[in-house]
Amino acid sequence: MQQKLRAAGTPVAAASLSYWQTGRSLPRRASSLRAVDELERLLNLPAGHLSQLLPQRAEDNKRPWDVISKRDLLHDCLERLDLSVARWRGVVNHDHVIIGPQRNEVSITSTQLVHSKIDGMRAFPAIYFQDSLDPVSPSIVAVTNCVVVEQIQVPEEHLVVARLELPRALERGEPSLHAYRIECAPSTVPSHRWERSLAAKHDHLVNTVEFLGDPPTQATGYYKGKAEIAGLPNPEDHRNLESEPLKVSGGIIQQIAPQALSGVHGVSWQW
């Protein structure tokens, strides 16, 4: 069987096959999951017969949007768009935020590298809450390797949720790199922070904030998530905040987080 897997382009060590069979270890990496799919084919088993036996990890059982505010409203929007993050795993997320001369958010370009968890994964969500005192309608446009199929705007909640689709459906374990841009609605509210909520752990997360006018005097990077993991009543409690000072260089702030945990990763600044 090991030779057949190698011939099919999905090599697996004999020891790994033995460990999988006894449960000593489980296939988790994209290459291992492709090998499981090939095993099903070689053994003439229905697609998914072996992979469905793999136990889900704790982070897979977690409600994906628990780390995001206004959960019920967001959940309703995702249901209307027939979207779920359970179909893919985020690997890299880079947000490039543009702050205009009036100190308000102008646009955010998000570039994401994901791996599909299933065969046929094609659609993914884009979500944005804009800071504003008045009802606003931000919008989302495709940039690279995707199209916007539909978007829901909720002006009174300053929210937009979009369904984006890749040019084709992915196979299980297949990676894809795509990008979209959020175009903020006109606002007079000065921006003081940017936050990215992660539903699950990512290999890398980067928040870049670029100021077209005068830069802030100081900046801080932070992570919120411990309170929620511990089951405390208020996950936004700043007593559970991990923070670090960030440099403002050339009108740009960068927060780089390798092995970024699920939760809220943010950058705040003072004018």
Side-chain angles (χ1 to χ4, degrees):
M1 188 60 66
Q2 183 191 17
Q3 293 176 351
K4 291 181 179 180
L5 287 172
R6 183 183 295 109
T10 54
V12 179
S16 295
L17 287 174
S18 176
Y19 292 161
W20 294 355
Q21 188 174 19
T22 60
R24 181 174 174 179
S25 68
L26 296 173
R28 287 300 188 191
R29 293 181 301 177
S31 59
S32 298
L33 293 175
R34 287 195 294 269
V36 172
D37 292 339
E38 183 61 23
L39 276 172
E40 292 172 344
R41 189 188 70 80
L42 293 173
L43 296 173
N44 295 318
L45 296 172
H49 181 84
L50 295 177
S51 57
Q52 69 181 359
L53 300 177
L54 294 173
Q56 288 188 317
R57 291 168 289 186
E59 68 176 22
D60 294 331
N61 291 324
K62 182 179 179 181
R63 183 177 173 182
W65 302 108
D66 279 348
V67 298
I68 300 179
S69 62
K70 304 183 188 297
R71 297 182 186 93
D72 292 338
L73 170 62
L74 184 56
H75 184 68
D76 290 343
C77 291
L78 292 171
E79 281 194 339
R80 288 171 58 188
L81 295 173
D82 189 25
L83 289 169
S84 170
V85 295
R87 300 169 185 168
W88 50 268
R89 182 180 77 84
V91 181
V92 177
N93 191 101
H94 179 209
D95 291 332
H96 187 167
V97 184
I98 300 295
I99 305 296
Q102 304 304 316
R103 298 183 173 181
N104 59 314
E105 291 179 3
V106 175
S107 67
I108 302 97
T109 300
S110 293
T111 303
Q112 300 172 338
L113 173 63
V114 302
H115 282 177
S116 176
K117 290 184 177 181
I118 61 170
D119 285 333
M121 198 289 284
R122 186 174 185 179
F124 60 95
I127 302 163
Y128 175 64
F129 287 99
Q130 181 172 339
D131 285 337
S132 177
L133 298 176
D134 303 310
V136 291
S137 297
S139 61
I140 296 174
V141 297
V143 175
T144 303
N145 197 37
C146 63
V147 295
V148 177
V149 176
E150 183 180 358
Q151 55 186 307
I152 298 173
Q153 294 173 320
V154 189
E156 62 274 16
E157 297 293 346
H158 321 143
L159 168 69
V160 60
V161 182
R163 177 188 175 96
L164 292 95
E165 291 188 359
L166 303 173
R168 63 172 179 83
L170 301 180
E171 297 180 358
R172 182 175 181 178
E174 185 178 358
S176 176
L177 181 72
H178 56 257
Y180 60 87
R181 184 175 66 255
I182 300 163
E183 297 183 342
C184 304
S187 173
T188 58
V189 177
S191 180
H192 293 277
R193 67 177 182 176
W194 166 255
E195 291 185 339
R196 164 59 70 172
S197 295
L198 296 183
K201 181 179 177 181
H202 280 51
D203 292 350
H204 294 279
L205 176 136
V206 180
N207 285 324
T208 299
V209 185
E210 181 177 355
F211 299 87
L212 301 184
D214 293 334
T217 57
Q218 62 183 41
T220 302
Y222 58 90
Y223 165 73
K224 293 185 286 188
K226 284 188 172 181
E228 182 178 350
I229 294 171
L232 298 179
N234 182 9
E236 301 300 321
D237 192 330
H238 281 240
R239 290 174 300 176
N240 301 289
L241 190 70
E242 293 184 2
S243 62
E244 62 176 347
L246 297 176
K247 293 182 179 180
V248 183
S249 178
I252 290 177
I253 303 169
Q254 276 200 325
Q255 178 193 43
I256 301 175
Q259 300 300 312
L261 301 175
S262 64
V264 176
H265 298 258
V267 178
S268 64
W269 54 87
Q270 295 182 3
W271 297 104

